[in-house]
Amino acid sequence: MSNPLPDPFADRPDWAPLPPRPIDVVPAVGGAELRGRRVLVGLPGLGWRGDLRADERVVQGSRTYVPVIPEHEWYRAESEQVEVFAPLVPVERVWVETVGERRPPPAPTGSSIRLVSLDVPTRRPPTPVFEADAVTGRRVVHVDGGAERRDLRAVTETYSGADGDICVRVAPELEWYRWAWRGQAPTTLEVPVHLLWLE
């Protein structure tokens, strides 16, 4: 069998949900409120680090900094009302994740290699979960009836559900992280794979 399986969403039939809006990244030097926002830090030409949350800007002398906290620590601080260490990162090295606008899909290039600029963090288009190699622990978006549910993590890989649907179990991010610091298993929801995208 040399032919690949047909794309079930080719020409997007009426029953296929629209993908969620993509995540865009914008420089934190603008005036947007930062507290609790997802951020990336890094240096152009070097690389970027994610899974971080920001607090409000701090001005020391003539420099502006952003307190940046690993996401699991941010959730613990918010949930348990505890103090956590937040290193100060110069504002010009911080980029804020925002939910962008839908764009038409890019035209196929014929190559599976996608080159990016090292000047700014890369925009990540949503990827259908059924196209991913592995999903456990990854950020996912559940799209149902046009509504986007974000701040979710996949708790399982794809499996065959009780009704025969291919599914993934997801949990709210707070519960995903609470599972790590308390050992308390999260409440999960079984979601058919065609309603899930990697964020």
Side-chain angles (χ1 to χ4, degrees), residues 84-104:
V84 296
F85 176 72
L88 299 177
V89 179
V91 70
E92 62 272 7
R93 294 185 183 180
V94 179
W95 294 72
V96 183
E97 291 189 9
T98 62
V99 178
E101 296 298 321
R102 282 193 180 86
R103 296 179 186 93

Side-chain angles (χ1 to χ4, degrees), residues 25-182:
V25 288
V26 297
V29 293
E33 184 177 320
L34 293 178
R35 178 157 171 56
R37 301 284 300 274
R38 279 196 170 105
V39 294
L40 299 163
V41 299
L43 288 169
L46 179 65
W48 308 98
R49 181 164 186 250
D51 285 335
L52 302 168
R53 297 277 181 152
D55 209 338
E56 283 306 323
R57 293 170 186 81
V58 173
V59 177
Q60 291 183 349
S62 62
R63 301 277 323 256
T64 302
Y65 298 92
V66 177
V68 175
I69 308 163
E71 195 165 57
H72 67 279
E73 287 290 295
W74 182 83
Y75 274 110
R76 189 170 68 89
E78 293 294 309
S79 175
E80 306 285 319
Q81 296 298 302
V82 296
E83 296 286 326
V84 296
F85 176 72
L88 299 177
V89 179
V91 70
E92 62 272 7
R93 294 185 183 180
V94 179
W95 294 72
V96 183
E97 291 189 9
T98 62
V99 178
E101 296 298 321
R102 282 193 180 86
R103 296 179 186 93
T109 62
S111 171
S112 61
I113 297 175
R114 183 175 76 115
L115 299 177
V116 299
S117 168
L118 294 181
D119 295 334
V120 297
T122 305
R123 177 184 167 271
R124 295 180 312 223
T127 303
V129 163
F130 64 82
E131 291 181 9
D133 292 337
V135 297
T136 301
R138 307 264 314 261
R139 288 168 37 186
V140 294
V141 181
H142 176 200
V143 178
D144 193 17
E148 298 174 5
R149 274 191 68 210
R150 294 182 183 265
D151 294 329
L152 299 171
R153 294 277 177 161
V155 179
T156 67
E157 296 298 325
T158 54
Y159 65 93
S160 180
D163 295 335
D165 286 338
I166 298 173
C167 298
V168 171
R169 294 198 81 78
V170 300
E173 238 178 16
L174 171 60
E175 293 192 31
W176 167 259
Y177 286 119
R178 188 178 286 144
W179 194 10
W181 81 73
R182 277 196 193 164

